[in-house]
Structure formats: C-alpha cells, structure tokens
Amino acid sequence: GKSLRQRWLINTAGTICAFGMICVVLVTALLGKYYYSEMESDMRLSASTATAFFENLEHQSYEESYQFCMTYAQTFENQNHINLQFISTSGEMVASSYGAETEKIAMTEDMEEAIATRKLQRFIGKDPLIGDHVLAVSSPVFYTDGSLIGVLRYVSSTWELHRQIAIVACISFAVLMAVLVVVLLSGNHYLKSILESLSQIVDIAKMIANGSY
C-alpha cells in the first residue's frame, strides 16, 4: 500500500510539473511577445504620426524644418518612458528629449536602414549610446521637396517590460505549485481511503478462505 501510494505521488507530481511548466513557459512567451508587439505598435504609430505632421508643414525653409525637428525632440512629452532623438543624415544626434548634447553616435541598424531605405525601421538589442537593452523605432523625416532632413528615433528601455514578464512568470509558477499541493493532498487522501477499503476486502477474503465465516 505504501509503495503504491509513493509511486502514485511521484507519477502524479511528475506529470503535473511537466505539464504545468510547459504552460508557464508558453504563457510567459506569449505574454512577452504581446507586450513587445504592443510597445512597438505604439512607437510606430507615434513615429508615423510625427513624420506625417512634419511632411505637411508648409511655408518653411529646410533650415526651419530642421530646427523644428530639434525643438520637437527636445520638448517631447512622454520622456518618462521614451527617449526621442533627432538624428541627422550624417549620424549625429542633434537633439534628444533627455537633453543630451549634440554628438556623433554609433548608428544602429534601424537608423542606417531608415536613412538608406527611407522607410520606418525598428531595432531590438543593446543600444550603444545608453548601454541598455532597448526597443527603438526610427522614422525618416522629409522636407516638402522630398529631401531627407533626418531621422526621428523613439527609444525605450525594455527593463520594465522584462520585469513585468518576470512577475507574470513567478505568479504562474506559484499557481502551479499551489495546484500541485492541492492535487497531491486531496489525491493522497482519496488513495489512502481506497487502499484501506481494499485492505479490508483482502482481510475478509482471507477469512473466508480460511473458513472463518
């Protein structure tokens, strides 16, 4: 009886843990993908809106449009979560919502491709300027005659995103452990009752076999 109960507990615990861990990994991965997708979607929308706004500016010289991009980056409102940078076509950061001074920076793939293809591009990885793992969206800005003014680059650290994903993973694991404990405790109680009933039946069968009836 004890050996049967131990085997049942081990098999049940192993099955629940394996299935539960698969569920935890899937939930965490899907949620992480969703968070990244939503974050990138918001940044793309902001970049596209700003680019369209600049392209519709009229009666301004190229220099005035350039200065307007700098001012827009420096006065960007959502500074707590996103750093808006204005990058010149030569790869120089001429304005930033974080107040960084003009400097030559190591261009990432999104900046290079935005200038080369003249289309919105994204980047996920370690940013050479701030050293953090970031999600960035670069959008080229054009003058009314179609010439490239520079690139508006929306940059956000993924640290907070990873923290939220880690919290979800921990909560999912805690729920799994709670379910495992409940199943094992309740299952052990029912198995014990079944084994006791079987033991009584066996004892009665032995008595009958021995002629004690």
Side-chain angles (χ1 to χ4, degrees), residues 5 13 18 40 42 52 66 72 83 87 108 116 145 150-151 182 188-189 208-209:
R5 187 183 306 144
E40 181 181 344
D42 290 342
Y66 189 91
Y72 179 78
N83 177 18
I87 314 296
T108 51
D145 64 359
V151 173
V182 170
N188 185 52
H189 172 73
I208 294 175

Side-chain angles (χ1 to χ4, degrees), residues 21-182:
M21 286 306 298
I22 291 174
C23 291
V24 169
V25 171
L26 284 176
V27 168
T28 304
L30 290 173
L31 194 61
K33 184 177 180 180
Y34 171 77
Y35 279 165
Y36 265 98
S37 177
E38 284 296 301
M39 187 177 179
E40 181 181 344
S41 179
D42 290 342
M43 293 171 72
R44 281 179 174 271
L45 179 60
S46 298
S48 298
T49 303
T51 301
F53 172 73
F54 288 126
E55 290 176 357
N56 290 327
L57 289 177
E58 297 180 355
H59 310 300
Q60 290 201 49
S61 66
Y62 183 91
E63 290 72 21
E64 288 174 331
S65 297
Y66 189 91
Q67 184 62 43
F68 194 87
C69 289
M70 290 180 59
T71 303
Y72 179 78
Q74 292 168 344
T75 57
F76 183 64
E77 294 181 354
N78 193 16
Q79 297 182 13
N80 293 332
H81 303 288
I82 297 176
N83 177 18
L84 177 56
Q85 304 167 349
F86 178 50
I87 314 296
S88 69
T89 53
S90 61
E92 186 178 53
M93 186 175 70
V94 294
S96 168
S97 59
Y98 283 4
E101 297 179 355
T102 300
E103 59 179 313
K104 188 78 174 181
I105 62 174
M107 295 187 73
T108 51
E109 298 171 6
D110 56 312
M111 289 184 277
E112 293 176 343
E113 292 178 4
I115 293 174
T117 65
R118 296 187 164 220
K119 294 180 180 179
L120 190 147
Q121 303 290 340
R122 72 145 189 186
F123 171 79
I124 297 178
K126 187 175 182 180
D127 189 283
L129 182 61
I130 62 177
D132 290 342
H133 191 277
V134 302
L135 170 62
V137 172
S138 290
S139 179
V141 182
F142 303 97
Y143 186 51
T144 51
D145 64 359
S147 57
L148 185 63
I149 300 176
V151 173
L152 283 177
R153 186 173 188 251
Y154 293 76
V155 188
S156 180
S157 173
T158 57
W159 181 87
E160 180 63 25
L161 202 63
H162 291 167
R163 189 182 74 86
Q164 292 177 3
I165 295 172
I167 290 175
V168 171
C170 291
I171 293 175
S172 300
F173 184 76
V175 171
L176 170 62
M177 290 297 101
V179 170
L180 179 62
V181 170
V182 170

